[in-house]
Amino acid sequence: MSKKPITGPPVTQIQLERDLRQIGVSKNMTLLVHSSLSSVGWVLGGASAMVRALITEIGETGTLLMPTATPHCGDPAEWTSPTIPTAHLAQVREHLPVFDLETTPTTLGAIPEAFRTWPGTRRSNHPLESVSARGPLADFMTADHPLAFSEGKGSPFEKLHDQNGWVLLIGVGFNRCTALHFAESLTKKRRTSKARFPSENGGKRTWVEVENVANDNDTHFPIIGQRFLQTGKATPGSIGNAPSILLPVQHLVDFAIAYFEEVL
């Protein structure tokens, strides 16, 4: 089988750093990144180059965060990629590995997986919705991640909001913007779902069920994103070849809460 040839010029770490500065990333920021490495292009050094560029631009006094979620640690009946045949559900549930803070990889892509294992990175201890962080606020951001409403009050996303933080979307849309789940969690008519995951204590396995904000399924988040862009408070640009947006979390959350309270 022939390999697909590389087309176009490479994206270097120097270019990534320049692009990050141009979109508004700066020293001392508290910045959460959602990303797609393939959208950035042919990056010399791969995901590690992207992580280095982000760390360089926020500096050692800034705090970098990335979601390192592990949906494959949840109930296999809820899996969508892949779906599990009903005949195998009992066996999969019985032998499904329990989330391990140190070793369970994230399924959110190459960049957050590289960041998860980066020297100095901390990770919150949530079996489905962990967040990794590096910088002066890393311990604070990842401590005491609540099991229920894992993207709501007390979560790293509330802390990001309270720290006047920022979100950077690199090659992904608002459907990946977890700050919008945080915003919805604060509203009276929030959509909810159940999340289930295994836990082991003394060799005994039990299944834990908690309440969470429901998946948006591209219903409202893209609309909120497009309308928020029209306010002029977000900064669009490009990181490598990836269309990207830098967002102030407090303004975005306030805007989204008003939207949800009107339409839900």
Side-chain angles (χ1 to χ4, degrees):
M1 181 182 294
S2 62
K3 295 182 179 180
K4 185 178 179 180
I6 293 174
T7 59
V11 178
T12 67
Q13 183 178 327
I14 291 175
Q15 178 184 344
L16 293 173
E17 293 171 3
R18 182 194 66 213
D19 292 347
L20 288 167
R21 290 193 297 273
Q22 287 182 346
I23 206 171
V25 174
S26 60
K27 304 298 183 188
N28 307 320
M29 266 188 170
T30 302
L31 177 69
L32 184 141
V33 176
H34 298 277
S35 60
S36 166
L37 181 62
S38 62
S39 296
V40 179
W42 170 28
V43 179
L44 293 181
S48 295
M50 187 76 251
V51 174
R52 288 191 189 94
L54 286 161
I55 291 173
T56 297
E57 291 311 309
I58 67 169
E60 291 301 320
T61 55
T63 298
L64 180 64
L65 303 96
M66 295 188 197
T68 45
T70 50
H72 55 294
C73 291
D75 188 349
E78 303 298 324
W79 292 2
T80 57
S81 180
T83 57
I84 304 299
T86 302
H88 301 315
L89 276 176
Q91 182 182 18
V92 175
R93 284 193 180 111
E94 182 181 357
H95 296 283
L96 183 70
V98 173
F99 172 78
D100 182 86
L101 180 68
E102 300 295 333
T103 64
T104 303
T106 180
T107 60
L108 296 188
I111 295 171
E113 177 60 12
F115 181 63
R116 179 186 72 83
T117 60
W118 205 265
T121 295
R122 303 288 184 263
R123 189 184 197 183
S124 67
N125 194 17
H126 194 284
L128 300 179
E129 300 289 350
S130 68
V131 173
S132 291
R134 182 186 184 278
L137 297 177
D139 288 336
F140 166 72
M141 287 289 183
T142 56
D144 304 319
H145 195 157
L147 290 180
F149 291 103
S150 57
E151 296 152 336
K153 290 184 177 180
S155 74
F157 305 98
E158 181 183 54
K159 295 173 184 178
L160 179 72
H161 171 273
D162 292 350
Q163 291 292 322
N164 199 26
W166 297 78
V167 167
L168 178 61
L169 305 177
I170 302 178
V172 299
F174 280 88
N175 60 340
R176 291 275 296 274
C177 185
T178 315
L180 297 180
H181 283 301
F182 169 63
E184 184 176 356
S185 76
L186 302 180
T187 62
K188 294 179 181 179
K189 296 182 180 180
R190 61 192 181 189
R191 298 164 292 169
T192 62
S193 63
K194 300 291 186 181
R196 298 182 72 245
F197 50 86
S199 176
E200 287 186 358
N201 186 8
K204 183 179 179 181
R205 172 176 294 233
T206 58
W207 281 83
V208 179
E209 183 174 278
V210 297
E211 198 170 15
N212 207 359
V213 174
N215 194 318
D216 181 64
N217 292 319
D218 292 346
T219 304
H220 296 293
F221 287 11
I223 297 172
I224 294 171
Q226 289 306 311
R227 292 184 182 180
F228 186 72
L229 287 173
Q230 294 172 8
T231 69
K233 294 178 180 178
T235 305
S238 294
I239 308 298
N241 300 324
S244 303
I245 308 170
L246 183 65
L247 306 156
V249 173
Q250 290 185 357
H251 288 299
L252 176 64
V253 168
D254 289 346
F255 185 89
I257 289 174
Y259 171 92
F260 286 127
E261 290 180 343
E262 179 182 349
V263 303
L264 294 183

